[in-house]
Amino acid sequence: MHCSPLLARLSALSIDYPAAVILGTAQDAGYPSAGCQRDCCRRARLDPALARHPASLAIIDAEGGRWLVDCTPHFPQQLAMLDELLPVDAEAPGLRGIFLTHAHIGHYTGLMQLGREVLGTAGLPVYCMPGLRRFLLDNGPWNQLVRIGNIELRELKAGRAVGLPGMLSVEPLPVPHRAEYSETVAFILSGVSHRLLYLPDIDSWEGLDPSIDRLLSEVDIALLDGTFFSGEELPGRNMGEIPHPTVEHSMRRFSGLPELIREKIHFFHLNHTNPLLNAQSPELARLYKLGYRLARQGAVLPLQ
Ligand SMILES: [Zn+2]
Ligand SMILES: [Zn+2]
């Protein structure tokens, strides 16, 4: 195999590839959240090291090609983050494609950066389910990206995996979630011996097929919806309008599972109000004590 400088750098960093890089662990708005004057977000404005991008993954395939899972409003910073970790050069293939979970703002609006105002990509494959494809084709400015050829929409089918170079595959898994604009999927990323579940948004663990328990037994790492820690997080807001299993609920739900399974669970997609964003919080200590984990922005996960 041709060894690009990027792959050489991966070896120098002793990163085994293919790999996935966590580009963000916050909910759609990122952390801090616009306009929030409470302690949660003040803290992160005073100390930018605490800030987090919206949930997204990069996949580095066996040839050093880059793929994104979700394209967030923080796309420019996330791309810069990836460039810093793994510098691109003339020989290294750039962005090869993007997989989208759904049409909520944190998951697709970064596509605007692909247009003629910014990157001006040519025919970049964007993989999405039929409802999301329809939404992008029916609405500006997204349909302009298609019309002038910046992106090429490729329709996903539930349960049918898309192959990437180096024995990698990405399979969409339909997930119950508020469907104002599109259906929602999670993705199962599979290498030869590593599997990763990316599931940022779900209304409830019930109604998932296969069941979350079975999925957990079949993957090595599961990045799971941890939007809210508890039901009391948004005073004055009807949390029934934005259903998510709370982390408290999920920890109870998974408490009967063996430790080996529980430690695969990495919560992410955290709302700015989530106390897990505070490294000193008793909630985070409790999560670790119960054998669960928190996804770390910048972490490199094996996908060989
Ligand atoms: Zn989301
Ligand atoms: Zn959503």
Side-chain angles (χ1 to χ4, degrees), residues 26-28 55 70 101-102 104-107 177-178 200-201 227 244 269:
Q27 168 263 26
D28 298 44
D70 278 337
T101 55
H102 66 302
H104 284 153
I105 63 153
H107 301 269
H177 183 48
R178 300 179 282 122
D201 278 277
T227 311
H244 289 273
H269 194 268

Side-chain angles (χ1 to χ4, degrees), residues 208-223:
L208 195 56
D209 181 25
S211 72
I212 186 63
D213 305 76
R214 183 161 144 218
L215 287 164
L216 287 171
S217 73
E218 291 175 352
V219 301
D220 301 287
I221 292 180
L223 299 170

